[in-house]
Amino acid sequence: MTIIFPSPIFGPIHSRRLGISLGINLLPSDGKCCSFDCIYCECGFNHDFVPKQKLPTREEVRTALEAQLQKMQQEGITPDVFTFAGNGEPTLNPHFPEIIDDTLALRDQYFPNAKVSVLTNAAQSLRQPVFDALCKVDNNICKLDTISPDYIAQVDRPNGNYDVQKIIARLKEFGNRCIIQTMFMKGEFGGKSVDNTGEAFVEPWLQAIKEIQPREVMIYTIDRETPAHHLKKASPEALDAIGERARQLGLACSVAY
């Protein structure tokens, strides 16, 4: 079932990678808004969930977040992480840098041990204010499913001009201030294979992350229903083998099946 998240705050929920996570959705609550249209996205295809509501304002996010943090404090619920995710790409909100500053201040006030995470496709990181904001958070988690432009066009399906080499160069500037997150899967879409677990995809990807030198690499596969119906999970054996090769490069790597 397609998931459309409330806005601007949802959860807390249990994340298989991040722990007890309080979600922050900087996009409308009635649809999806993303610069990618990934065929595996749990929020569905962009054209099926076009929002009619406006983006939440900086003040709306701050007010709702503080109210939820006060409630959690009263109920004795301690979040492990505040996660910017939701119905698409969080950095598309024009107030993203200021909202990050507000969130860090509220985190420090109410739950100073919690981390702040952003799940991003990194396309907006080419904009300096977004790059600077991402450098401030604890877990700047950037998508890099492959370095193949053809695969990106088939699977991630960016809107507008997207140059993966420019993105890799930007990710190198983050260095150990970023985490690389990669979806590995099998199956097909539009009659073509989307299997990126083979050597033709894995070796160039490994060379890219070796160049980037992120703090960590997160490898995962499909966990929820996808809008494209012929996708398949990568096997635990394939994921473990890729993860081990990343570790042999001296990189910390986690694997989620």
Side-chain angles (χ1 to χ4, degrees):
M1 185 175 69
T2 299
I3 301 172
I4 297 295
F5 294 93
S7 178
I9 307 300
F10 61 94
I13 61 176
H14 187 270
S15 165
R16 58 182 171 153
R17 293 185 296 278
L18 300 173
I20 298 175
S21 171
L22 181 64
I24 304 174
N25 177 20
L26 302 186
L27 305 164
S29 61
D30 65 336
K32 185 184 173 193
C33 183
C34 196
S35 52
F36 278 17
D37 194 15
C38 298
I39 63 175
Y40 57 77
C41 181
E42 65 187 12
C43 296
F45 291 131
N46 292 356
H47 62 77
D48 290 332
F49 299 95
V50 178
K52 296 179 181 178
Q53 297 178 6
K54 295 180 179 179
L55 298 170
T57 66
R58 174 185 181 181
E59 182 60 26
E60 286 171 343
V61 175
R62 192 199 66 77
T63 299
L65 178 58
E66 183 162 29
Q68 179 64 21
L69 296 180
Q70 289 173 345
K71 181 173 181 287
M72 292 175 70
Q73 201 172 60
Q74 292 167 2
E75 295 175 351
I77 301 172
T78 301
D80 295 307
V81 62
F82 302 170
T83 305
F84 285 83
N87 302 335
E89 173 56 42
T91 62
L92 290 178
N93 189 301
H95 301 294
F96 175 77
E98 296 86 356
I99 291 170
I100 288 293
D101 288 339
D102 292 343
T103 301
L104 291 169
L106 288 170
R107 183 275 307 271
D108 292 346
Q109 180 180 350
Y110 289 97
F111 294 102
N113 292 326
K115 305 297 186 184
V116 174
S117 299
V118 178
L119 303 179
T120 176
N121 61 34
Q124 293 295 311
S125 70
L126 298 178
R127 296 176 53 234
Q128 194 63 40
V130 171
F131 177 84
D132 292 341
L134 290 171
C135 286
K136 296 177 183 179
V137 303
D138 300 291
N139 299 316
N140 167 30
I141 304 173
C142 298
K143 174 189 295 292
L144 185 67
D145 288 338
T146 180
I147 68 165
S148 163
D150 290 340
Y151 190 90
I152 291 167
Q154 180 190 9
V155 173
D156 294 330
R157 307 197 304 172
N159 299 321
N161 185 31
Y162 177 88
D163 185 334
V164 69
Q165 292 302 326
K166 287 184 178 179
I167 298 300
I168 290 171
R170 190 56 142 171
L171 294 173
K172 288 170 67 175
E173 293 182 42
F174 281 124
N176 64 8
R177 291 174 295 181
C178 85
I179 295 169
I180 298 299
Q181 184 185 68
T182 301
M183 165 69 78
F184 286 101
M185 62 181 177
K186 297 188 176 183
E188 64 178 44
F189 178 69
K192 295 182 179 180
S193 171
V194 296
D195 184 349
N196 63 338
T197 64
E199 190 65 14
F201 289 98
V202 173
E203 177 59 28
W205 173 83
L206 285 167
Q207 291 305 311
I209 62 170
K210 182 180 178 181
E211 288 182 31
I212 295 165
Q213 286 294 304
R215 188 177 83 227
E216 182 184 350
V217 179
M218 290 181 171
I219 293 172
Y220 71 127
T221 192
I222 296 166
D223 185 49
R224 300 184 177 94
E225 184 177 346
T226 60
H229 299 305
H230 299 288
L231 309 182
K232 299 178 181 178
K233 294 170 74 78
S235 69
E237 293 78 15
L239 294 172
D240 283 338
I242 296 168
E244 182 55 33
R245 291 176 69 179
R247 294 184 191 102
Q248 288 173 1
L249 296 176
L251 297 169
C253 182
S254 63
V255 178
Y257 303 128

